[in-house]
Amino acid sequence: MRLILLGFVGILFFSCQQNPSLNNKTEELKIDQKVEELLSKMTLQEKIGQMNQYSGFMDFTGPQPDKGRTAKKLEHIKSGMVGSMLNVHGVKNVRAVQKMAVEESRLGIPLLFGFDVVHGYKTISPIPLAEAASWDLEAMKRSAEIAAEEASAAGINWTFAPMVDISRDARWGRAMEGAGEDPYLGSQIAKARINGFQGDDLSSLNTIAATAKHFAAYGFAEAGREYNTVDIGTSTLYNVVFPPFRAAVDADVKSFMNAFNVLNGVPATGDEFLLREILKEKWDFEGFVVSDWDSVGEMVAHGFVKDGREAAKQAVIAGSDMDMESYHYIEELKTLVEDGEIDEKLIDDAVRRILKVKYELGLFDDPYKYCSVERQKETLYNTKFRDDVLEMAKKSIVLLKNENDLLPLETSGQNIAVIGALADDKTSPLGSWRLGADEGTAITVLEGLKKYDKNNYTYSKGADVVTGEVSFTRELNVNNIDKSGFARAISAAKSANVVIMVLGEHGLQSGEARSRTRLDLPGVQQELLEEVYKVNKNIVLVLQNGRPLALPWADEHIPAIVEAWHLGTESGNAIAKVLYGAYNPSGKLPMTFPRHVGQVPIYYNQKSTGRPKLPSPGEVFWSHYTDEKNSPLYPFGYGLSYTTFSFEDLKVKNTYTEDNTVLISVKVTNTGKRKGKTTVQLYIQDEFASVTRPLKELKSFEQVELEAGENRIINFKLKDEHLGFYNTKGEFLVEKGSFNVFVGEDSQADLSNSFEL
Ligand code: BGC
């Protein structure tokens, strides 16, 4: 076996390609000088102040701090003991707080204003997992641009997004916030989102600094339970968890955020290996690392350090530059340095990184640059954003089933029963993590449908999804048992030509601290579905949810199923356009949908076991369940269209010997009767390797739109970066041997060819 060890040289080569132009270099030098000058004027206390971040006085996204602290926070801002605020937004608020820092503190260093602008600020795009289903990188970049434009007009200069955590576990509520299960797709999306938020010029008025979070492996929380321990091997860490973070560094992301979890015995916030060795040394990350909410303090609860002082010490030594809401930096770092327990050089390094981003944003030239009342008024909810978020929403929808072409619906002469509380909910479609949005600003499915006014609609709720108070910070009541609305829904269904049932999860049933043990329809919705089915089988099931659900009954019985996630402001319009065929669905699942929650974690890029196949009929000793299939309900990459596509002539044009490149081509034909778009996906399998490789790995994809009957040749290029992998020591290897290549419309693609390296 010949090994080609790319290691550091390869990594340098890849990152050199991303280097800023010469102009940017000069600019950077100037900024570095300014940072040094300022740093030399700062007292130790002022330096530590830059490393301190407080939450504002409006929204909380973690345990609420003791209210008595507010006065102290204000006092700290005025005395230069705060470097950044989170959860202060709106130009009036930002200006007022910035004024305290700039006009009252000794050095007048402006504050960073961070906020979770995850999928929009006021005009809301689909939740990130839904956007990932579009596989449309330009559209996702545009979505982040809109978010940055609105947020920056409201005083915000830093977003805590994108979340680039890979997750294979639908029980984990935060799967909604990421790009799904695949490291390649996740890396492409990470870059697109960062480019959207940060643009080409961070000092522009409409761009903001981005954050790659949560470093690292938060998506692998054991049993899908929020904040839980993570124990994974180095192969998974390097090949699955790290790639999107590495892509974020290549895209010049300005900050990283720690993860809440313990990774292989060490809390991520205090992990020198993660933050110093990998991120800052190996990847040469020049931005700064912010902790997660009190994740510095939580190292005590983890049993890693005995008190806040030790926590602050360990976090700084590890490389966490800014402390979000634990107060331990501001309370402990000064004496830790004075007592010789922390080298002041580490403090200087952290402060340099933070100041640099402030200079890059242009805050020293004008600390109030994002604080124009007129711009805010003009920008928030500007109708010019609506078309783009509508496009994004349409592209995010995945058609899961469409028996007998029930969809698209006829646009006139139909009596349509619309059933389900979500069909008439103006808030739930905004989804989770849209802290700046106003309640009730989403277009409902019912409103969207009614624009097709040549059909008659009868609406009945049937049953609630959740009951009682629905809030981001409070536990939801998910055990609705009230079936009093069933009778009306059933009677409406009886006389309808078609029934549209909008079922699923409330928008706040996913997101942080929203883990589930079940992946079914919450409350009595499954029962409602089955009761309605008894009187009318012509059902279109529209799902709204923030994670993959396991719905085997629906898959077996319901003729048409549409995955519509939480699609944001334009939700109902997008869904109606898909149901009526004004948009031919093109979404592809970014995460595997299981048959049963017991299969989780289930993901396409699994490895082979030693006993992958049934030896002969009736034998039991092979890798399987005795009560369920191994296969998913809907695989990664899957999604139907109102047309069909065929794939043929998969050719491997030249081999690795020429130019370290493998060229692959395939012919794609639209074999149906409508124009349509699909995502051509290329997977490889490295058959034998020194560290076993998955049965399939996505390595490239391309979207193609074809008229009925039209065909096109799609070309792919595979290079070392696609063909290699990281071994357990973190070395990148390209090993000789045989590879299989598969091309098709989802991860079960079986059109294959092979090549040798
Ligand atoms: C979340 C972060 C978020 C932070 C600030 C934490 O609870 O884990 O992702 O950015 O709160 O709101």
Side-chain angles (χ1 to χ4, degrees):
M1 183 167 41
R2 183 171 67 98
L3 292 189
I4 304 161
L5 184 64
L6 289 184
F8 249 98
V9 183
I11 284 160
L12 274 180
F13 172 70
F14 289 129
S15 43
C16 280
Q17 292 184 314
Q18 310 285 341
N19 263 355
S21 68
L22 272 183
N23 266 350
N24 289 349
K25 269 260 172 270
T26 339
E27 206 41 53
E28 228 179 283
L29 277 182
K30 275 198 233 149
I31 287 182
D32 287 346
Q33 270 165 10
K34 289 181 189 167
V35 168
E36 288 313 317
E37 270 168 38
L38 181 53
L39 193 67
S40 68
K41 292 185 194 139
M42 294 170 80
T43 62
L44 175 60
Q45 182 66 85
E46 283 164 337
K47 290 181 199 171
I48 292 165
Q50 288 304 303
M51 300 167 70
N52 184 29
Q53 184 188 53
Y54 285 146
S55 177
F57 322 106
M58 11 177 71
D59 306 300
F60 297 95
T61 59
Q64 299 215 2
D66 138 28
K67 299 266 190 297
R69 284 200 185 261
T70 301
K72 202 164 188 186
K73 285 181 180 180
L74 294 174
E75 199 187 293
H76 281 184
I77 294 170
K78 293 177 190 165
S79 52
M81 286 163 72
V82 181
S84 168
M85 296 295 294
L86 77 148
N87 298 333
V88 175
H89 54 111
V91 296
K92 200 165 143 254
N93 300 322
V94 171
R95 183 178 279 276
V97 179
Q98 190 70 298
K99 198 160 179 269
M100 290 178 213
V102 171
E103 294 184 13
E104 302 196 39
S105 72
R106 188 179 77 92
L107 292 170
I109 301 175
L111 299 168
L112 286 172
F113 287 88
F115 196 52
D116 293 279
V117 185
V118 172
H119 53 116
Y121 178 63
K122 290 288 178 193
T123 307
I124 302 299
S125 289
I127 56 168
L129 185 67
E131 286 194 354
S134 74
W135 295 51
D136 187 329
L137 302 174
E138 268 309 304
M140 284 182 259
K141 178 170 173 238
R142 178 70 195 131
S143 163
E145 275 168 9
I146 293 171
E149 192 158 344
E150 281 197 339
S152 59
I156 296 155
N157 48 41
W158 176 25
T159 176
F160 304 130
M163 186 187 98
V164 304
D165 295 310
I166 296 296
S167 182
R168 296 164 163 180
D169 197 328
R171 295 168 299 183
W172 189 52
R174 296 195 83 165
M176 58 76 50
E177 208 183 326
E181 73 188 36
D182 183 66
Y184 177 79
L185 180 62
S187 301
Q188 306 303 312
I189 293 177
K191 283 193 218 165
R193 288 188 168 142
I194 291 162
N195 291 336
F197 286 129
Q198 298 189 162
D200 298 330
D201 178 4
L202 198 61
S203 69
S204 299
L205 262 190
N206 55 358
T207 57
I208 56 179
T211 310
K213 69 187 190 185
H214 304 84
F215 199 54
Y218 185 27
F220 282 73
E222 269 177 11
R225 178 159 57 81
E226 186 64 295
Y227 314 131
N228 208 0
T229 304
V230 178
D231 241 294
I232 54 173
T234 40
S235 176
T236 304
L237 191 61
Y238 281 105
N239 291 293
V240 181
V241 171
F242 281 168
F245 286 103
R246 178 63 213 262
V249 174
D250 289 344
D252 199 23
V253 72
K254 295 298 164 189
S255 66
F256 261 53
M257 187 185 286
N258 292 141
F260 283 126
N261 54 281
V262 163
L263 171 62
N264 299 336
V266 180
T269 304
D271 193 342
E272 263 185 273
F273 159 73
L274 277 181
L275 304 176
R276 292 245 178 249
E277 203 179 304
I278 297 292
L279 179 61
K280 292 182 174 174
E281 284 161 25
K282 203 162 182 180
W283 296 349
D284 208 13
F285 172 61
E286 291 181 356
F288 67 92
V289 178
V290 63
S291 80
D292 204 343
W293 186 291
D294 190 28
S295 66
V296 174
E298 288 178 9
M299 291 199 287
V300 178
H302 284 305
F304 188 63
V305 288
K306 74 171 189 303
D307 55 20
R309 183 176 165 88
E310 286 296 308
K313 179 179 165 186
Q314 186 53 36
V316 167
I317 289 175
S320 293
D321 303 310
M322 187 184 278
D323 172 19
M324 181 193 288
E325 272 291 322
S326 91
Y327 315 110
H328 296 313
Y329 279 16
I330 203 66
E331 285 167 6
E332 308 290 354
L333 286 187
K334 189 155 176 281
T335 56
L336 279 165
V337 175
E338 286 164 354
D339 296 347
E341 293 200 40
I342 290 184
D343 187 341
E344 193 167 344
K345 285 199 188 111
L346 293 184
I347 306 289
D348 288 349
D349 176 58
V351 178
R352 266 189 201 103
R353 291 167 181 272
I354 295 163
L355 291 178
K356 187 170 176 196
V357 175
K358 293 188 177 184
Y359 274 108
E360 287 175 335
L361 282 162
L363 286 174
F364 284 95
D365 297 328
D366 179 4
Y368 306 108
K369 62 188 286 195
Y370 306 102
C371 296
S372 150
V373 177
E374 295 77 51
R375 188 178 156 231
Q376 175 173 256
K377 204 164 155 227
E378 241 155 61
T379 312
L380 303 190
Y381 287 121
N382 190 313
T383 47
K384 72 179 180 191
F385 303 133
R386 295 294 280 253
D387 285 350
D388 288 333
V389 296
L390 174 60
E391 276 307 296
M392 186 75 256
K394 289 188 300 190
K395 290 172 173 175
S396 303
I397 294 171
V398 186
L399 180 63
L400 296 176
K401 190 178 171 194
N402 191 22
E403 213 169 70
N404 305 325
D405 291 340
L406 178 56
L407 290 173
L409 300 172
E410 290 182 28
T411 49
S412 64
Q414 302 287 299
N415 285 323
I416 299 185
V418 182
I419 298 173
L422 292 173
D424 194 28
D425 192 324
K426 288 186 73 61
T427 297
S428 170
L430 298 174
S432 195
W433 280 120
R434 34 77 183 173
L435 301 179
D438 296 295
E439 304 281 291
T441 49
I443 305 284
T444 67
V445 178
L446 206 50
E447 287 169 331
L449 289 172
K450 283 185 176 167
K451 296 195 175 137
Y452 292 81
D453 57 5
K454 296 197 179 85
N455 283 337
N456 294 322
Y457 303 95
T458 321
Y459 171 67
S460 42
K461 178 171 81 171
D464 279 316
V465 177
V466 292
T467 54
E469 187 199 359
V470 179
S471 132
F472 181 68
T473 53
R474 313 289 309 164
E475 204 67 69
L476 304 181
N477 180 3
V478 296
N479 299 316
N480 176 41
I481 48 164
D482 180 7
K483 295 193 253 173
S484 56
F486 275 30
R488 238 188 97 203
I490 291 164
S491 124
K494 272 186 190 155
S495 52
N497 303 101
V498 184
V499 185
I500 298 177
M501 298 196 68
V502 186
L503 306 178
E505 299 178 317
H506 186 276
L508 293 182
Q509 276 187 285
S510 52
E512 184 171 350
R514 299 293 202 258
S515 296
R516 296 184 63 194
T517 59
R518 301 166 56 161
L519 296 175
D520 56 359
L521 296 169
V524 290
Q525 293 179 95
Q526 177 68 32
E527 227 178 306
L528 175 66
L529 180 63
E530 293 184 26
E531 289 303 315
V532 171
Y533 179 78
K534 283 182 190 156
V535 300
N536 191 336
K537 301 201 167 15
N538 233 15
I539 295 176
V540 176
L541 172 59
V542 175
L543 295 169
Q544 296 193 338
N545 41 288
R547 52 158 68 77
L549 295 177
L551 302 174
W553 186 91
D555 178 64
E556 197 181 328
H557 297 90
I558 303 300
I561 308 179
V562 175
E563 176 50 76
W565 318 100
H566 298 124
L567 292 176
T569 309
E570 284 289 329
S571 175
N573 285 335
I575 294 168
K577 282 180 191 296
V578 164
L579 297 186
Y580 280 113
Y583 184 81
N584 187 354
S586 55
K588 305 277 179 192
L589 296 178
M591 218 172 151
T592 304
F593 276 42
R595 296 175 187 279
H596 190 282
V597 68
Q599 294 175 302
V600 171
I602 180 170
Y603 49 95
Y604 86 94
N605 48 355
Q606 58 181 284
K607 296 186 172 180
S608 177
T609 64
R611 297 183 181 191
K613 287 198 190 97
L614 175 67
S616 56
E619 283 196 33
V620 74
F621 297 108
W622 68 291
S623 175
H624 72 301
Y625 300 102
T626 54
D627 55 358
E628 187 51 274
K629 293 180 183 160
N630 286 355
S631 64
L633 192 60
Y634 307 116
F636 172 84
Y638 169 82
L640 303 172
S641 157
Y642 295 150
T643 188
T644 47
F645 298 91
S646 74
F647 296 78
E648 59 210 324
D649 294 343
L650 176 58
K651 292 187 182 137
V652 178
K653 285 199 183 154
N654 79 330
T655 56
Y656 189 72
T657 41
E658 293 162 47
D659 208 14
N660 287 17
T661 303
V662 180
L663 290 179
I664 287 158
S665 70
V666 70
K667 184 170 148 196
V668 187
T669 308
N670 180 341
T671 46
K673 295 197 181 76
R674 285 171 177 260
K675 182 177 174 178
K677 188 168 72 182
T678 190
T679 300
V680 186
Q681 302 161 35
L682 180 144
Y683 297 85
I684 63 162
Q685 179 195 13
D686 181 352
E687 281 198 294
F688 305 98
S690 56
V691 179
T692 60
R693 306 303 306 137
L695 289 165
K696 267 186 186 150
E697 293 178 85
L698 180 74
K699 288 298 173 185
S700 197
F701 61 89
E702 188 155 329
Q703 302 203 300
V704 52
E705 185 158 33
L706 297 172
E707 298 289 342
E710 198 189 352
N711 68 56
R712 193 166 308 158
I713 306 287
I714 307 290
N715 294 302
F716 295 101
K717 207 183 252 186
L718 296 180
K719 292 179 156 287
D720 281 340
E721 62 191 282
H722 306 109
L723 300 167
F725 63 90
Y726 290 90
N727 68 9
T728 50
K729 293 189 204 119
E731 295 160 336
F732 191 75
L733 311 176
V734 182
E735 291 183 352
K736 278 222 145 200
S738 46
F739 284 71
N740 291 321
V741 56
F742 307 87
V743 176
E745 274 191 289
D746 61 52
S747 56
Q748 291 183 346
D750 54 11
L751 178 66
S752 70
N753 206 328
S754 58
F755 57 89
E756 292 282 321
L757 287 201

